[in-house]
Amino acid sequence: MKIGQVLLIVVLGVASGAAGGYFVQQKLNAEISAPVPVAEKFIQSTKLPEWQLVDGAGEVRAHMRMSGGDPVLVLYDRNSTMRAALSIDSKGEPALFIQGNEGVTQGVFGMNMNGQPILKLADKAGEPRIGFRLSDEGAPSLELLDAGGQPRTVLNVDPTGMPGIYLLDEAGEVVWSALPMEKE
């Protein structure tokens, strides 16, 4: 082969490769930019009444399902003990439940019946011991509860901005309080 023939073959090869690459790229760009309902197909194909996520050993670590028509997401530790759950109740209010090592709910973050946020912490037996809440007017309070779940110490700020500390007896009656002094 003469050098001119080799050079012609190389030039034609490069030109055809470039042209082919150009046309393939144009075809890919057209397919990528075209509105393809891939997401719709994916969403439709994953509509399941229940979903489980398993680890490498095949143990269920998360479980999503419907309960009474409302969604629930449950998370499990490596020992298959439920540790957390996130749900939406029938009124549309969210709640997060945290469980200790023994599977007892020790923390709840949610909304009260009037739509105000609450946080409750419980002991290892599941008995409530601390409560944080907002009143309907948005006033904050902290309640320390006895072993029976009764408020014994309350720290709050009323809707007017007045702080207060209250100690309560077993019946819930105030036995001591600290309120700001009246300004003269």
Side-chain angles (χ1 to χ4, degrees):
M1 247 189 211
K2 295 183 181 178
I3 190 83
Q5 290 174 324
V6 171
L7 187 56
L8 179 63
I9 291 173
V10 169
V11 168
L12 287 175
V14 169
S16 64
Y22 172 79
F23 289 116
V24 167
Q25 182 65 35
Q26 292 304 313
K27 175 73 173 154
L28 287 175
N29 283 342
E31 288 179 1
I32 290 171
S33 63
V36 179
V38 174
E40 289 178 22
K41 288 181 183 178
F42 177 76
I43 290 171
Q44 290 173 357
S45 69
T46 57
K47 288 184 179 178
L48 302 172
E50 185 173 316
W51 172 79
Q52 292 183 345
L53 178 66
V54 297
D55 62 16
E59 296 295 322
V60 175
R61 299 299 302 276
H63 184 198
M64 187 183 306
R65 61 184 164 82
M66 298 300 288
S67 177
D70 298 306
V72 177
L73 172 63
V74 180
L75 303 176
Y76 301 90
D77 66 14
R78 291 190 172 128
N79 298 317
S80 299
T81 301
M82 185 173 114
R83 297 305 301 270
L86 177 62
S87 68
I88 305 292
D89 69 16
S90 61
K91 295 180 182 177
E93 299 293 347
L96 174 64
F97 301 87
I98 305 294
Q99 294 190 342
N101 290 334
E102 305 300 318
V104 174
T105 300
Q106 290 186 261
V108 177
F109 180 51
M111 308 299 270
N112 69 14
M113 294 170 55
N114 296 324
Q116 294 294 331
I118 59 169
L119 174 64
K120 294 182 182 179
L121 303 178
D123 59 22
K124 289 184 178 184
E127 296 297 326
R129 300 307 304 263
I130 299 174
F132 298 93
R133 68 184 70 238
L134 291 178
S135 70
D136 291 344
E137 296 83 23
S141 70
L142 165 66
E143 296 178 349
L144 304 179
L145 312 173
D146 64 17
Q150 296 300 314
R152 299 302 301 270
T153 303
V154 177
L155 171 67
N156 73 346
V157 177
D158 73 16
T160 67
M162 183 75 65
I165 301 173
Y166 305 90
L167 301 183
L168 309 161
D169 63 15
E170 297 87 4
E173 298 296 322
V174 176
V175 295
W176 184 86
S177 65
L179 299 170
M181 296 173 40
E182 297 276 335
K183 291 185 180 179
E184 295 182 16

